[in-house]
Amino acid sequence: MPWTRLADPKTGRVRLGFGRAMTVDAAQGVTSDEHINAMPRGSSAMTGFTSYVAESRHVHRCWTAVSEGSLREAETFSRALGDIRPVTVNDLYDRLASDMGRHPYKSLAVDLAKARLAHEEANTRWIRQNHVNERTRQKGQSPGGQVRRQVEEGPIRDVPRAQWDDVSRKLRKAGYAAQDALNAARRVEDLQERRRAQ
């Protein structure tokens, strides 16, 4: 908003009244007739939670004032390097709405309990696996041998059945051709021996 809109058209004096400035967290629970939500550094620090608090302090009217320069800078730096598209007013409004509508996950006390349970379950699995490995060694086997064998045989199992059928046909054809060649060689050898015997 330009300063000229706040100035008296006759005297030129800025028409401002008494007011209080406070952070969004400090304003929580405060109610005023008219409220201004000022974001001089843009909306990058805003989320859906803080926006709700900042935009619901009024009874009659709320004014939202955002630094265009900060919004434009945030939008420019969020784009890919070399993107020369101009930043439009709609882009700035989209950026503002995106920032003020974010609802990031807030850590709760129950998350600590979940992390502890996950840690205990991991320890339990580790101890159980060590027992299995020890019993396998006592039997003279190698722990993880079956898994390693499955991993090694994985590429073979991944071959489609149609491809195996094609390989089987090719091998049978090669086997028949080799058998025919062997029979022909034996017939030639028998013929030569008969000629020598005559």
Side-chain angles (χ1 to χ4, degrees):
M1 176 186 296
W3 286 103
T4 54
R5 291 189 59 184
L6 298 176
D8 190 317
K10 294 181 180 179
T11 63
R13 297 179 62 183
V14 177
R15 296 178 296 183
L16 292 177
F18 175 77
R20 293 182 177 87
M22 60 186 70
T23 64
V24 175
D25 295 327
Q28 189 167 5
V30 174
T31 302
S32 58
D33 292 338
E34 192 169 3
H35 174 70
I36 300 174
N37 179 21
M39 291 177 273
R41 294 187 179 180
S43 60
S44 59
M46 298 293 288
T47 64
F49 306 110
T50 54
S51 298
Y52 176 78
V53 174
E55 296 286 330
S56 61
R57 299 301 94 209
H58 62 285
V59 175
H60 301 293
R61 181 175 298 176
C62 176
W63 300 89
T64 302
V66 190
S67 170
E68 180 180 348
S70 299
L71 274 181
R72 189 174 296 276
E73 182 180 12
E75 178 63 23
T76 302
F77 279 100
S78 69
R79 295 184 176 184
L81 193 64
D83 190 347
I84 60 174
R85 292 177 300 164
V87 178
T88 64
V89 176
N90 288 334
D91 294 334
L92 298 181
Y93 278 120
D94 289 342
R95 165 66 55 178
L96 178 62
S98 175
D99 289 341
M100 295 181 71
R102 286 185 295 116
H103 288 83
Y105 180 76
K106 298 174 68 174
S107 299
L108 304 174
V110 71
D111 294 335
L112 183 61
K114 289 181 179 179
R116 180 177 178 179
L117 285 175
H119 179 69
E120 291 176 354
E121 289 176 1
N123 284 342
T124 303
R125 287 196 302 271
W126 180 78
I127 293 171
R128 188 181 299 117
Q129 187 61 49
N130 277 345
H131 285 302
V132 172
N133 293 346
E134 186 61 29
R135 286 196 296 269
T136 304
R137 290 192 187 94
Q138 290 175 358
K139 294 178 182 179
Q141 300 173 354
S142 174
Q146 182 178 0
V147 175
R148 285 194 296 271
R149 188 165 53 255
Q150 291 176 352
V151 171
E152 292 171 355
E153 296 174 355
I156 299 176
R157 289 195 301 271
D158 292 339
V159 176
R161 179 62 181 270
Q163 190 170 347
W164 278 122
D165 293 341
D166 186 44
V167 170
S168 178
R169 284 192 297 272
K170 289 180 178 178
L171 288 176
R172 283 199 302 272
K173 288 175 64 176
Y176 293 147
Q179 186 67 39
D180 293 341
L182 180 60
N183 292 336
R186 286 176 177 173
R187 285 195 297 271
V188 170
E189 185 178 353
D190 291 343
L191 183 59
Q192 291 175 351
E193 288 182 0
R194 288 175 192 169
R195 287 179 181 175
R196 283 195 296 267
Q198 292 176 353

mmCIF file with all atom_site columns, all heavy atoms in Angstrom, residues 152-174:
data_model
loop_
_atom_site.group_PDB
_atom_site.id
_atom_site.type_symbol
_atom_site.label_atom_id
_atom_site.label_alt_id
_atom_site.label_comp_id
_atom_site.label_asym_id
_atom_site.label_entity_id
_atom_site.label_seq_id
_atom_site.pdbx_PDB_ins_code
_atom_site.Cartn_x
_atom_site.Cartn_y
_atom_site.Cartn_z
_atom_site.occupancy
_atom_site.B_iso_or_equiv
_atom_site.pdbx_formal_charge
_atom_site.auth_seq_id
_atom_site.auth_comp_id
_atom_site.auth_asym_id
_atom_site.auth_atom_id
_atom_site.pdbx_PDB_model_num
ATOM 1   N N   . GLU A 1 152 ? 21.925 -65.349 -5.544  1.00 0.00 ? 152 GLU A N   1
ATOM 2   C CA  . GLU A 1 152 ? 22.714 -65.741 -6.710  1.00 0.00 ? 152 GLU A CA  1
ATOM 3   C C   . GLU A 1 152 ? 21.846 -66.332 -7.813  1.00 0.00 ? 152 GLU A C   1
ATOM 4   O O   . GLU A 1 152 ? 22.117 -66.146 -8.998  1.00 0.00 ? 152 GLU A O   1
ATOM 5   C CB  . GLU A 1 152 ? 23.786 -66.760 -6.287  1.00 0.00 ? 152 GLU A CB  1
ATOM 6   C CG  . GLU A 1 152 ? 24.859 -66.157 -5.383  1.00 0.00 ? 152 GLU A CG  1
ATOM 7   C CD  . GLU A 1 152 ? 25.772 -67.226 -4.800  1.00 0.00 ? 152 GLU A CD  1
ATOM 8   O OE1 . GLU A 1 152 ? 25.496 -68.430 -5.044  1.00 0.00 ? 152 GLU A OE1 1
ATOM 9   O OE2 . GLU A 1 152 ? 26.735 -66.861 -4.096  1.00 0.00 ? 152 GLU A OE2 1
ATOM 10  N N   . GLU A 1 153 ? 20.795 -67.066 -7.416  1.00 0.00 ? 153 GLU A N   1
ATOM 11  C CA  . GLU A 1 153 ? 19.915 -67.672 -8.412  1.00 0.00 ? 153 GLU A CA  1
ATOM 12  C C   . GLU A 1 153 ? 18.825 -66.724 -8.893  1.00 0.00 ? 153 GLU A C   1
ATOM 13  O O   . GLU A 1 153 ? 18.044 -67.075 -9.780  1.00 0.00 ? 153 GLU A O   1
ATOM 14  C CB  . GLU A 1 153 ? 19.263 -68.926 -7.825  1.00 0.00 ? 153 GLU A CB  1
ATOM 15  C CG  . GLU A 1 153 ? 20.261 -70.023 -7.495  1.00 0.00 ? 153 GLU A CG  1
ATOM 16  C CD  . GLU A 1 153 ? 19.595 -71.189 -6.788  1.00 0.00 ? 153 GLU A CD  1
ATOM 17  O OE1 . GLU A 1 153 ? 18.377 -71.078 -6.474  1.00 0.00 ? 153 GLU A OE1 1
ATOM 18  O OE2 . GLU A 1 153 ? 20.281 -72.205 -6.542  1.00 0.00 ? 153 GLU A OE2 1
ATOM 19  N N   . GLY A 1 154 ? 18.767 -65.540 -8.300  1.00 0.00 ? 154 GLY A N   1
ATOM 20  C CA  . GLY A 1 154 ? 17.732 -64.588 -8.677  1.00 0.00 ? 154 GLY A CA  1
ATOM 21  C C   . GLY A 1 154 ? 17.707 -64.243 -10.155 1.00 0.00 ? 154 GLY A C   1
ATOM 22  O O   . GLY A 1 154 ? 16.645 -64.272 -10.790 1.00 0.00 ? 154 GLY A O   1
ATOM 23  N N   . PRO A 1 155 ? 18.864 -63.892 -10.765 1.00 0.00 ? 155 PRO A N   1
ATOM 24  C CA  . PRO A 1 155 ? 18.827 -63.576 -12.201 1.00 0.00 ? 155 PRO A CA  1
ATOM 25  C C   . PRO A 1 155 ? 18.305 -64.716 -13.069 1.00 0.00 ? 155 PRO A C   1
ATOM 26  O O   . PRO A 1 155 ? 17.657 -64.479 -14.088 1.00 0.00 ? 155 PRO A O   1
ATOM 27  C CB  . PRO A 1 155 ? 20.300 -63.265 -12.521 1.00 0.00 ? 155 PRO A CB  1
ATOM 28  C CG  . PRO A 1 155 ? 20.891 -62.841 -11.216 1.00 0.00 ? 155 PRO A CG  1
ATOM 29  C CD  . PRO A 1 155 ? 20.185 -63.656 -10.181 1.00 0.00 ? 155 PRO A CD  1
ATOM 30  N N   . ILE A 1 156 ? 18.577 -65.959 -12.649 1.00 0.00 ? 156 ILE A N   1
ATOM 31  C CA  . ILE A 1 156 ? 18.081 -67.098 -13.430 1.00 0.00 ? 156 ILE A CA  1
ATOM 32  C C   . ILE A 1 156 ? 16.572 -67.219 -13.288 1.00 0.00 ? 156 ILE A C   1
ATOM 33  O O   . ILE A 1 156 ? 15.847 -67.479 -14.252 1.00 0.00 ? 156 ILE A O   1
ATOM 34  C CB  . ILE A 1 156 ? 18.780 -68.394 -12.981 1.00 0.00 ? 156 ILE A CB  1
ATOM 35  C CG1 . ILE A 1 156 ? 20.298 -68.281 -13.204 1.00 0.00 ? 156 ILE A CG1 1
ATOM 36  C CG2 . ILE A 1 156 ? 18.211 -69.605 -13.700 1.00 0.00 ? 156 ILE A CG2 1
ATOM 37  C CD1 . ILE A 1 156 ? 21.079 -69.453 -12.701 1.00 0.00 ? 156 ILE A CD1 1
ATOM 38  N N   . ARG A 1 157 ? 16.061 -67.010 -12.042 1.00 0.00 ? 157 ARG A N   1
ATOM 39  C CA  . ARG A 1 157 ? 14.613 -67.103 -11.833 1.00 0.00 ? 157 ARG A CA  1
ATOM 40  C C   . ARG A 1 157 ? 13.860 -65.972 -12.514 1.00 0.00 ? 157 ARG A C   1
ATOM 41  O O   . ARG A 1 157 ? 12.678 -66.120 -12.833 1.00 0.00 ? 157 ARG A O   1
ATOM 42  C CB  . ARG A 1 157 ? 14.299 -67.108 -10.334 1.00 0.00 ? 157 ARG A CB  1
ATOM 43  C CG  . ARG A 1 157 ? 14.699 -68.387 -9.614  1.00 0.00 ? 157 ARG A CG  1
ATOM 44  C CD  . ARG A 1 157 ? 14.045 -68.447 -8.259  1.00 0.00 ? 157 ARG A CD  1
ATOM 45  N NE  . ARG A 1 157 ? 14.418 -67.306 -7.426  1.00 0.00 ? 157 ARG A NE  1
ATOM 46  C CZ  . ARG A 1 157 ? 15.477 -67.291 -6.619  1.00 0.00 ? 157 ARG A CZ  1
ATOM 47  N NH1 . ARG A 1 157 ? 16.246 -68.372 -6.532  1.00 0.00 ? 157 ARG A NH1 1
ATOM 48  N NH2 . ARG A 1 157 ? 15.758 -66.228 -5.903  1.00 0.00 ? 157 ARG A NH2 1
ATOM 49  N N   . ASP A 1 158 ? 14.548 -64.862 -12.731 1.00 0.00 ? 158 ASP A N   1
ATOM 50  C CA  . ASP A 1 158 ? 13.882 -63.712 -13.352 1.00 0.00 ? 158 ASP A CA  1
ATOM 51  C C   . ASP A 1 158 ? 13.729 -63.861 -14.857 1.00 0.00 ? 158 ASP A C   1
ATOM 52  O O   . ASP A 1 158 ? 13.062 -63.045 -15.494 1.00 0.00 ? 158 ASP A O   1
ATOM 53  C CB  . ASP A 1 158 ? 14.663 -62.421 -13.050 1.00 0.00 ? 158 ASP A CB  1
ATOM 54  C CG  . ASP A 1 158 ? 14.592 -62.067 -11.565 1.00 0.00 ? 158 ASP A CG  1
ATOM 55  O OD1 . ASP A 1 158 ? 13.661 -62.563 -10.897 1.00 0.00 ? 158 ASP A OD1 1
ATOM 56  O OD2 . ASP A 1 158 ? 15.462 -61.310 -11.091 1.00 0.00 ? 158 ASP A OD2 1
ATOM 57  N N   . VAL A 1 159 ? 14.376 -64.877 -15.448 1.00 0.00 ? 159 VAL A N   1
ATOM 58  C CA  . VAL A 1 159 ? 14.254 -65.077 -16.906 1.00 0.00 ? 159 VAL A CA  1
ATOM 59  C C   . VAL A 1 159 ? 12.829 -65.529 -17.219 1.00 0.00 ? 159 VAL A C   1
ATOM 60  O O   . VAL A 1 159 ? 12.324 -66.464 -16.601 1.00 0.00 ? 159 VAL A O   1
ATOM 61  C CB  . VAL A 1 159 ? 15.274 -66.127 -17.395 1.00 0.00 ? 159 VAL A CB  1
ATOM 62  C CG1 . VAL A 1 159 ? 15.075 -66.407 -18.880 1.00 0.00 ? 159 VAL A CG1 1
ATOM 63  C CG2 . VAL A 1 159 ? 16.695 -65.642 -17.127 1.00 0.00 ? 159 VAL A CG2 1
ATOM 64  N N   . PRO A 1 160 ? 12.146 -64.887 -18.163 1.00 0.00 ? 160 PRO A N   1
ATOM 65  C CA  . PRO A 1 160 ? 10.769 -65.281 -18.485 1.00 0.00 ? 160 PRO A CA  1
ATOM 66  C C   . PRO A 1 160 ? 10.687 -66.724 -18.991 1.00 0.00 ? 160 PRO A C   1
ATOM 67  O O   . PRO A 1 160 ? 11.627 -67.249 -19.596 1.00 0.00 ? 160 PRO A O   1
ATOM 68  C CB  . PRO A 1 160 ? 10.357 -64.287 -19.581 1.00 0.00 ? 160 PRO A CB  1
ATOM 69  C CG  . PRO A 1 160 ? 11.304 -63.149 -19.453 1.00 0.00 ? 160 PRO A CG  1
ATOM 70  C CD  . PRO A 1 160 ? 12.583 -63.712 -18.935 1.00 0.00 ? 160 PRO A CD  1
ATOM 71  N N   . ARG A 1 161 ? 9.519  -67.352 -18.753 1.00 0.00 ? 161 ARG A N   1
ATOM 72  C CA  . ARG A 1 161 ? 9.318  -68.747 -19.167 1.00 0.00 ? 161 ARG A CA  1
ATOM 73  C C   . ARG A 1 161 ? 9.424  -68.890 -20.689 1.00 0.00 ? 161 ARG A C   1
ATOM 74  O O   . ARG A 1 161 ? 9.974  -69.874 -21.194 1.00 0.00 ? 161 ARG A O   1
ATOM 75  C CB  . ARG A 1 161 ? 7.941  -69.225 -18.694 1.00 0.00 ? 161 ARG A CB  1
ATOM 76  C CG  . ARG A 1 161 ? 7.612  -70.658 -19.081 1.00 0.00 ? 161 ARG A CG  1
ATOM 77  C CD  . ARG A 1 161 ? 8.607  -71.616 -18.447 1.00 0.00 ? 161 ARG A CD  1
ATOM 78  N NE  . ARG A 1 161 ? 8.345  -72.987 -18.818 1.00 0.00 ? 161 ARG A NE  1
ATOM 79  C CZ  . ARG A 1 161 ? 7.549  -73.798 -18.128 1.00 0.00 ? 161 ARG A CZ  1
ATOM 80  N NH1 . ARG A 1 161 ? 6.924  -73.353 -17.038 1.00 0.00 ? 161 ARG A NH1 1
ATOM 81  N NH2 . ARG A 1 161 ? 7.372  -75.041 -18.504 1.00 0.00 ? 161 ARG A NH2 1
ATOM 82  N N   . ALA A 1 162 ? 8.914  -67.892 -21.413 1.00 0.00 ? 162 ALA A N   1
ATOM 83  C CA  . ALA A 1 162 ? 8.979  -67.961 -22.884 1.00 0.00 ? 162 ALA A CA  1
ATOM 84  C C   . ALA A 1 162 ? 10.423 -68.001 -23.370 1.00 0.00 ? 162 ALA A C   1
ATOM 85  O O   . ALA A 1 162 ? 10.761 -68.711 -24.320 1.00 0.00 ? 162 ALA A O   1
ATOM 86  C CB  . ALA A 1 162 ? 8.255  -66.767 -23.482 1.00 0.00 ? 162 ALA A CB  1
ATOM 87  N N   . GLN A 1 163 ? 11.294 -67.256 -22.671 1.00 0.00 ? 163 GLN A N   1
ATOM 88  C CA  . GLN A 1 163 ? 12.702 -67.262 -23.073 1.00 0.00 ? 163 GLN A CA  1
ATOM 89  C C   . GLN A 1 163 ? 13.345 -68.608 -22.777 1.00 0.00 ? 163 GLN A C   1
ATOM 90  O O   . GLN A 1 163 ? 14.159 -69.096 -23.568 1.00 0.00 ? 163 GLN A O   1
ATOM 91  C CB  . GLN A 1 163 ? 13.448 -66.137 -22.349 1.00 0.00 ? 163 GLN A CB  1
ATOM 92  C CG  . GLN A 1 163 ? 14.851 -65.900 -22.878 1.00 0.00 ? 163 GLN A CG  1
ATOM 93  C CD  . GLN A 1 163 ? 15.458 -64.639 -22.297 1.00 0.00 ? 163 GLN A CD  1
ATOM 94  O OE1 . GLN A 1 163 ? 14.767 -63.829 -21.707 1.00 0.00 ? 163 GLN A OE1 1
ATOM 95  N NE2 . GLN A 1 163 ? 16.756 -64.490 -22.479 1.00 0.00 ? 163 GLN A NE2 1
ATOM 96  N N   . TRP A 1 164 ? 12.968 -69.235 -21.644 1.00 0.00 ? 164 TRP A N   1
ATOM 97  C CA  . TRP A 1 164 ? 13.490 -70.568 -21.352 1.00 0.00 ? 164 TRP A CA  1
ATOM 98  C C   . TRP A 1 164 ? 13.035 -71.561 -22.404 1.00 0.00 ? 164 TRP A C   1
ATOM 99  O O   . TRP A 1 164 ? 13.790 -72.437 -22.828 1.00 0.00 ? 164 TRP A O   1
ATOM 100 C CB  . TRP A 1 164 ? 13.026 -71.028 -19.969 1.00 0.00 ? 164 TRP A CB  1
ATOM 101 C CG  . TRP A 1 164 ? 13.837 -70.506 -18.833 1.00 0.00 ? 164 TRP A CG  1
ATOM 102 C CD1 . TRP A 1 164 ? 13.403 -69.772 -17.787 1.00 0.00 ? 164 TRP A CD1 1
ATOM 103 C CD2 . TRP A 1 164 ? 15.244 -70.681 -18.626 1.00 0.00 ? 164 TRP A CD2 1
ATOM 104 N NE1 . TRP A 1 164 ? 14.418 -69.463 -16.937 1.00 0.00 ? 164 TRP A NE1 1
ATOM 105 C CE2 . TRP A 1 164 ? 15.576 -70.018 -17.431 1.00 0.00 ? 164 TRP A CE2 1
ATOM 106 C CE3 . TRP A 1 164 ? 16.261 -71.329 -19.340 1.00 0.00 ? 164 TRP A CE3 1
ATOM 107 C CZ2 . TRP A 1 164 ? 16.871 -69.990 -16.927 1.00 0.00 ? 164 TRP A CZ2 1
ATOM 108 C CZ3 . TRP A 1 164 ? 17.555 -71.298 -18.826 1.00 0.00 ? 164 TRP A CZ3 1
ATOM 109 C CH2 . TRP A 1 164 ? 17.838 -70.634 -17.645 1.00 0.00 ? 164 TRP A CH2 1
ATOM 110 N N   . ASP A 1 165 ? 11.753 -71.461 -22.838 1.00 0.00 ? 165 ASP A N   1
ATOM 111 C CA  . ASP A 1 165 ? 11.253 -72.351 -23.878 1.00 0.00 ? 165 ASP A CA  1
ATOM 112 C C   . ASP A 1 165 ? 12.040 -72.170 -25.172 1.00 0.00 ? 165 ASP A C   1
ATOM 113 O O   . ASP A 1 165 ? 12.365 -73.139 -25.866 1.00 0.00 ? 165 ASP A O   1
ATOM 114 C CB  . ASP A 1 165 ? 9.763  -72.083 -24.123 1.00 0.00 ? 165 ASP A CB  1
ATOM 115 C CG  . ASP A 1 165 ? 8.920  -72.476 -22.915 1.00 0.00 ? 165 ASP A CG  1
ATOM 116 O OD1 . ASP A 1 165 ? 9.416  -73.253 -22.085 1.00 0.00 ? 165 ASP A OD1 1
ATOM 117 O OD2 . ASP A 1 165 ? 7.790  -71.989 -22.817 1.00 0.00 ? 165 ASP A OD2 1
ATOM 118 N N   . ASP A 1 166 ? 12.366 -70.911 -25.485 1.00 0.00 ? 166 ASP A N   1
ATOM 119 C CA  . ASP A 1 166 ? 13.138 -70.647 -26.703 1.00 0.00 ? 166 ASP A CA  1
ATOM 120 C C   . ASP A 1 166 ? 14.531 -71.253 -26.586 1.00 0.00 ? 166 ASP A C   1
ATOM 121 O O   . ASP A 1 166 ? 15.045 -71.855 -27.540 1.00 0.00 ? 166 ASP A O   1
ATOM 122 C CB  . ASP A 1 166 ? 13.219 -69.133 -26.924 1.00 0.00 ? 166 ASP A CB  1
ATOM 123 C CG  . ASP A 1 166 ? 13.870 -68.785 -28.248 1.00 0.00 ? 166 ASP A CG  1
ATOM 124 O OD1 . ASP A 1 166 ? 13.530 -69.425 -29.260 1.00 0.00 ? 166 ASP A OD1 1
ATOM 125 O OD2 . ASP A 1 166 ? 14.723 -67.873 -28.272 1.00 0.00 ? 166 ASP A OD2 1
ATOM 126 N N   . VAL A 1 167 ? 15.168 -71.104 -25.414 1.00 0.00 ? 167 VAL A N   1
ATOM 127 C CA  . VAL A 1 167 ? 16.494 -71.694 -25.200 1.00 0.00 ? 167 VAL A CA  1
ATOM 128 C C   . VAL A 1 167 ? 16.418 -73.216 -25.308 1.00 0.00 ? 167 VAL A C   1
ATOM 129 O O   . VAL A 1 167 ? 17.284 -73.875 -25.901 1.00 0.00 ? 167 VAL A O   1
ATOM 130 C CB  . VAL A 1 167 ? 17.058 -71.262 -23.830 1.00 0.00 ? 167 VAL A CB  1
ATOM 131 C CG1 . VAL A 1 167 ? 18.313 -72.045 -23.490 1.00 0.00 ? 167 VAL A CG1 1
ATOM 132 C CG2 . VAL A 1 167 ? 17.336 -69.769 -23.813 1.00 0.00 ? 167 VAL A CG2 1
ATOM 133 N N   . SER A 1 168 ? 15.329 -73.804 -24.752 1.00 0.00 ? 168 SER A N   1
ATOM 134 C CA  . SER A 1 168 ? 15.172 -75.262 -24.816 1.00 0.00 ? 168 SER A CA  1
ATOM 135 C C   . SER A 1 168 ? 15.050 -75.736 -26.263 1.00 0.00 ? 168 SER A C   1
ATOM 136 O O   . SER A 1 168 ? 15.657 -76.742 -26.662 1.00 0.00 ? 168 SER A O   1
ATOM 137 C CB  . SER A 1 168 ? 13.943 -75.678 -24.007 1.00 0.00 ? 168 SER A CB  1
ATOM 138 O OG  . SER A 1 168 ? 13.741 -77.065 -24.092 1.00 0.00 ? 168 SER A OG  1
ATOM 139 N N   . ARG A 1 169 ? 14.261 -75.007 -27.068 1.00 0.00 ? 169 ARG A N   1
ATOM 140 C CA  . ARG A 1 169 ? 14.130 -75.394 -28.477 1.00 0.00 ? 169 ARG A CA  1
ATOM 141 C C   . ARG A 1 169 ? 15.463 -75.296 -29.210 1.00 0.00 ? 169 ARG A C   1
ATOM 142 O O   . ARG A 1 169 ? 15.828 -76.172 -29.997 1.00 0.00 ? 169 ARG A O   1
ATOM 143 C CB  . ARG A 1 169 ? 13.086 -74.504 -29.159 1.00 0.00 ? 169 ARG A CB  1
ATOM 144 C CG  . ARG A 1 169 ? 11.644 -74.854 -28.818 1.00 0.00 ? 169 ARG A CG  1
ATOM 145 C CD  . ARG A 1 169 ? 10.675 -74.146 -29.748 1.00 0.00 ? 169 ARG A CD  1
ATOM 146 N NE  . ARG A 1 169 ? 10.746 -72.709 -29.622 1.00 0.00 ? 169 ARG A NE  1
ATOM 147 C CZ  . ARG A 1 169 ? 10.033 -72.006 -28.749 1.00 0.00 ? 169 ARG A CZ  1
ATOM 148 N NH1 . ARG A 1 169 ? 9.201  -72.624 -27.926 1.00 0.00 ? 169 ARG A NH1 1
ATOM 149 N NH2 . ARG A 1 169 ? 10.150 -70.697 -28.698 1.00 0.00 ? 169 ARG A NH2 1
ATOM 150 N N   . LYS A 1 170 ? 16.201 -74.232 -28.934 1.00 0.00 ? 170 LYS A N   1
ATOM 151 C CA  . LYS A 1 170 ? 17.494 -74.061 -29.595 1.00 0.00 ? 170 LYS A CA  1
ATOM 152 C C   . LYS A 1 170 ? 18.463 -75.169 -29.201 1.00 0.00 ? 170 LYS A C   1
ATOM 153 O O   . LYS A 1 170 ? 19.212 -75.685 -30.033 1.00 0.00 ? 170 LYS A O   1
ATOM 154 C CB  . LYS A 1 170 ? 18.082 -72.684 -29.254 1.00 0.00 ? 170 LYS A CB  1
ATOM 155 C CG  . LYS A 1 170 ? 17.340 -71.526 -29.913 1.00 0.00 ? 170 LYS A CG  1
ATOM 156 C CD  . LYS A 1 170 ? 17.965 -70.188 -29.554 1.00 0.00 ? 170 LYS A CD  1
ATOM 157 C CE  . LYS A 1 170 ? 17.251 -69.034 -30.246 1.00 0.00 ? 170 LYS A CE  1
ATOM 158 N NZ  . LYS A 1 170 ? 17.811 -67.731 -29.874 1.00 0.00 ? 170 LYS A NZ  1
ATOM 159 N N   . LEU A 1 171 ? 18.454 -75.538 -27.910 1.00 0.00 ? 171 LEU A N   1
ATOM 160 C CA  . LEU A 1 171 ? 19.345 -76.606 -27.461 1.00 0.00 ? 171 LEU A CA  1
ATOM 161 C C   . LEU A 1 171 ? 18.958 -77.945 -28.100 1.00 0.00 ? 171 LEU A C   1
ATOM 162 O O   . LEU A 1 171 ? 19.832 -78.735 -28.484 1.00 0.00 ? 171 LEU A O   1
ATOM 163 C CB  . LEU A 1 171 ? 19.306 -76.706 -25.938 1.00 0.00 ? 171 LEU A CB  1
ATOM 164 C CG  . LEU A 1 171 ? 19.980 -75.578 -25.158 1.00 0.00 ? 171 LEU A CG  1
ATOM 165 C CD1 . LEU A 1 171 ? 19.773 -75.754 -23.668 1.00 0.00 ? 171 LEU A CD1 1
ATOM 166 C CD2 . LEU A 1 171 ? 21.476 -75.519 -25.477 1.00 0.00 ? 171 LEU A CD2 1
ATOM 167 N N   . ARG A 1 172 ? 17.650 -78.218 -28.193 1.00 0.00 ? 172 ARG A N   1
ATOM 168 C CA  . ARG A 1 172 ? 17.228 -79.463 -28.828 1.00 0.00 ? 172 ARG A CA  1
ATOM 169 C C   . ARG A 1 172 ? 17.641 -79.496 -30.299 1.00 0.00 ? 172 ARG A C   1
ATOM 170 O O   . ARG A 1 172 ? 18.122 -80.512 -30.800 1.00 0.00 ? 172 ARG A O   1
ATOM 171 C CB  . ARG A 1 172 ? 15.707 -79.618 -28.704 1.00 0.00 ? 172 ARG A CB  1
ATOM 172 C CG  . ARG A 1 172 ? 15.255 -80.056 -27.311 1.00 0.00 ? 172 ARG A CG  1
ATOM 173 C CD  . ARG A 1 172 ? 13.853 -80.647 -27.357 1.00 0.00 ? 172 ARG A CD  1
ATOM 174 N NE  . ARG A 1 172 ? 12.887 -79.694 -27.891 1.00 0.00 ? 172 ARG A NE  1
ATOM 175 C CZ  . ARG A 1 172 ? 12.229 -78.810 -27.154 1.00 0.00 ? 172 ARG A CZ  1
ATOM 176 N NH1 . ARG A 1 172 ? 12.450 -78.764 -25.846 1.00 0.00 ? 172 ARG A NH1 1
ATOM 177 N NH2 . ARG A 1 172 ? 11.354 -77.998 -27.696 1.00 0.00 ? 172 ARG A NH2 1
ATOM 178 N N   . LYS A 1 173 ? 17.462 -78.363 -31.000 1.00 0.00 ? 173 LYS A N   1
ATOM 179 C CA  . LYS A 1 173 ? 17.863 -78.306 -32.405 1.00 0.00 ? 173 LYS A CA  1
ATOM 180 C C   . LYS A 1 173 ? 19.366 -78.515 -32.539 1.00 0.00 ? 173 LYS A C   1
ATOM 181 O O   . LYS A 1 173 ? 19.831 -79.241 -33.425 1.00 0.00 ? 173 LYS A O   1
ATOM 182 C CB  . LYS A 1 173 ? 17.454 -76.959 -33.011 1.00 0.00 ? 173 LYS A CB  1
ATOM 183 C CG  . LYS A 1 173 ? 15.954 -76.805 -33.225 1.00 0.00 ? 173 LYS A CG  1
ATOM 184 C CD  . LYS A 1 173 ? 15.593 -75.424 -33.714 1.00 0.00 ? 173 LYS A CD  1
ATOM 185 C CE  . LYS A 1 173 ? 16.183 -75.162 -35.082 1.00 0.00 ? 173 LYS A CE  1
ATOM 186 N NZ  . LYS A 1 173 ? 15.752 -73.843 -35.603 1.00 0.00 ? 173 LYS A NZ  1
ATOM 187 N N   . ALA A 1 174 ? 20.144 -77.878 -31.638 1.00 0.00 ? 174 ALA A N   1
ATOM 188 C CA  . ALA A 1 174 ? 21.595 -78.055 -31.691 1.00 0.00 ? 174 ALA A CA  1
ATOM 189 C C   . ALA A 1 174 ? 21.969 -79.497 -31.383 1.00 0.00 ? 174 ALA A C   1
ATOM 190 O O   . ALA A 1 174 ? 22.886 -80.072 -32.009 1.00 0.00 ? 174 ALA A O   1
ATOM 191 C CB  . ALA A 1 174 ? 22.272 -77.100 -30.705 1.00 0.00 ? 174 ALA A CB  1
#
